[in-house]
Amino acid sequence: MALTHFNTRPMPDNGLRKKKAQDVRKEIGKVADRRPARTVLSNEEELAFPLTQPTSFTKGLKHDEYGFVSRADYEGFVMSLVQSQQSMASAPINGSGSRKWESPLAGHYFETEGPDPGALAMAPAPKLGSSELCSEMAVLYAMALVRDIAFSDLAVPSTRIGQTYPAGHPKEGTAATVQDLVDELRKLSWMDPNKSTYGYSGKLDGLNAHEMRRRAALWEDTAKGLTVQSLFRGSTYGAKQGPMLSQFLLLGTGNKADAKRDPLNGLISYGAQTIDQRVEQAKESADYMTTWEDWLAIQNGSDVNDPVDQNQWVTANRLITTPRDLATYVHSTSSTKLT
């Protein structure tokens, strides 16, 4: 006698399961459809600078000797993005020997989980001439000055940052510290909660809701404003507590039976594999784009990265220690630098 009733065990009834799965996905789609679509707002700088686009992304397009791109090339670039032209995903930016754009069409893809990316929006970017943009530029420069200092030392006010106050400054000849860096940044109105600022509207004290939240996120205590403890910290909830660097980038899983697997060694056990949290080290004090010609070449799309240039790298890997290490972790995707 044929035992046909055992043929589908232990699976559930295929027909009912398929119908139920379809129903569940339809309901999820309805939930997503009920979410209001957000409007992406421009900061209006395309209109403010119709010929030069000084604050728009033009990297990879052809620029003139002053670093400006033609409006026609810029509009063509924008339309290629808007129309999702697939050729952009693989073509070199500016011909042979040039870099490729990084995922230029990512915003056109669809997600099967959560809200559709097209239904989300970001606040308008800080406008040229605003106190916020001025502050962002200063903070980036400050980061560059301390990129080879350990994160643990950046939390110490007296740590020297390798710079000396110039002639004419009240502290002329004095070695600058992390506290000095914070004090200089606090001279900017955006960094001092007691000073008036220029916002998106171009008016004094004309901050919109987004700007007020972003400014308040700079510090833990409004009365204190920017401090050494809040320097370079993010605006995410809890970002100003604990170490500056996420421990997920440092710690291993640990193994009490193996002294070598102390969590501080940064070794992650994953089944039969071991993942080492150490990263390749870029050499200290290596500066890039310090001349106008070098900057312009990069803006024009030149690919100057040499993944096997041993002069750029230290042979020993280490746990992320400095801002330069963290930048290397984010920037480097090649596994062929060191052999």
Side-chain angles (χ1 to χ4, degrees):
M1 181 174 66
L3 300 178
T4 55
H5 61 288
F6 286 111
N7 289 348
T8 59
R9 290 173 62 184
M11 299 296 291
D13 180 274
N14 287 341
L16 291 177
R17 174 72 189 187
K18 184 176 181 180
K19 179 63 170 59
K20 182 64 175 178
Q22 188 179 49
D23 292 340
V24 169
R25 295 193 179 196
K26 285 182 178 179
E27 287 303 312
I28 293 174
K30 292 178 181 179
V31 171
D33 190 55
R34 286 197 294 268
R35 294 191 182 103
R38 303 298 179 183
T39 301
V40 178
L41 300 177
S42 167
N43 69 358
E44 302 174 359
E45 287 188 328
E46 282 188 317
L47 298 176
F49 308 103
L51 299 179
T52 56
Q53 297 79 235
T55 57
S56 299
F57 179 86
T58 61
K59 191 174 182 178
L61 302 179
K62 292 181 179 180
H63 298 73
D64 63 21
E65 59 183 317
Y66 302 106
F68 294 125
V69 67
S70 73
R71 185 71 187 196
D73 286 349
Y74 175 73
E75 289 294 342
F77 175 68
V78 172
M79 290 309 298
S80 294
L81 292 173
V82 172
Q83 296 172 1
S84 186
Q85 294 183 9
Q86 293 299 318
S87 60
M88 290 192 66
S90 58
I93 290 179
N94 223 344
S96 178
S98 299
R99 296 178 56 189
K100 295 180 180 179
W101 280 294
E102 298 285 345
S103 303
L105 304 180
H108 291 279
Y109 294 119
F110 293 93
E111 292 286 348
T112 56
E113 297 181 358
D116 178 63
L120 305 177
M122 295 177 64
K127 224 173 184 179
L128 188 62
S130 68
S131 299
E132 183 176 12
L133 185 58
C134 178
S135 170
E136 285 191 357
M137 294 171 67
V139 169
L140 288 175
Y141 185 72
M143 285 181 175
L145 292 178
V146 301
R147 63 191 179 281
D148 291 318
I149 298 176
F151 284 107
S152 56
D153 292 333
L154 287 176
V156 180
S158 60
T159 297
R160 295 185 177 185
I161 63 173
Q163 304 292 321
T164 302
Y165 276 99
H169 193 280
K171 295 185 178 181
E172 177 181 341
T174 304
T177 65
V178 174
Q179 182 62 60
D180 290 326
L181 190 65
V182 171
D183 291 342
E184 293 297 327
L185 289 173
R186 278 179 57 92
K187 293 178 181 179
L188 298 170
S189 61
W190 187 262
M191 292 293 190
D192 190 334
N194 300 313
K195 291 181 180 179
S196 298
T197 61
Y198 283 93
Y200 169 87
S201 65
K203 297 178 181 179
L204 192 62
D205 283 336
L207 301 187
N208 59 35
H210 294 298
E211 290 168 322
M212 287 190 287
R213 286 195 293 268
R214 289 199 295 258
R215 191 182 184 207
L218 289 173
W219 40 72
E220 286 183 278
D221 187 337
T222 302
K224 294 180 180 179
L226 185 69
T227 65
V228 170
Q229 296 303 315
S230 58
L231 179 65
F232 303 146
R233 296 286 184 141
S235 58
T236 305
Y237 178 78
K240 295 177 181 61
Q241 283 76 47
M244 184 178 292
L245 189 66
S246 170
Q247 301 304 285
F248 286 113
L249 296 174
L250 300 175
L251 296 179
T253 53
N255 186 335
K256 293 182 179 179
D258 186 351
K260 295 181 180 179
R261 293 301 179 91
D262 186 304
L264 296 181
N265 286 339
L267 299 176
I268 301 173
S269 297
Y270 187 73
Q273 295 177 302
T274 298
I275 302 172
D276 194 341
Q277 294 267 46
R278 290 164 181 78
V279 299
E280 294 167 334
Q281 287 187 68
K283 285 188 175 179
E284 293 186 5
S285 303
D287 297 324
Y288 302 92
M289 291 190 292
T290 57
T291 68
W292 177 263
E293 291 76 17
D294 288 344
W295 175 84
L296 187 57
I298 297 298
Q299 281 296 97
N300 284 329
S302 294
D303 189 357
V304 297
N305 181 50
D306 186 350
V308 295
D309 182 0
Q310 297 299 315
N311 293 323
Q312 297 181 16
W313 306 96
V314 177
T315 54
N317 292 4
R318 71 176 178 186
L319 295 173
I320 296 174
T321 303
T322 66
R324 187 188 293 272
D325 292 340
L326 186 59
T328 300
Y329 173 85
V330 174
H331 176 260
S332 176
T333 57
S334 173
S335 60
T336 60
K337 293 186 181 69
L338 304 175
T339 57

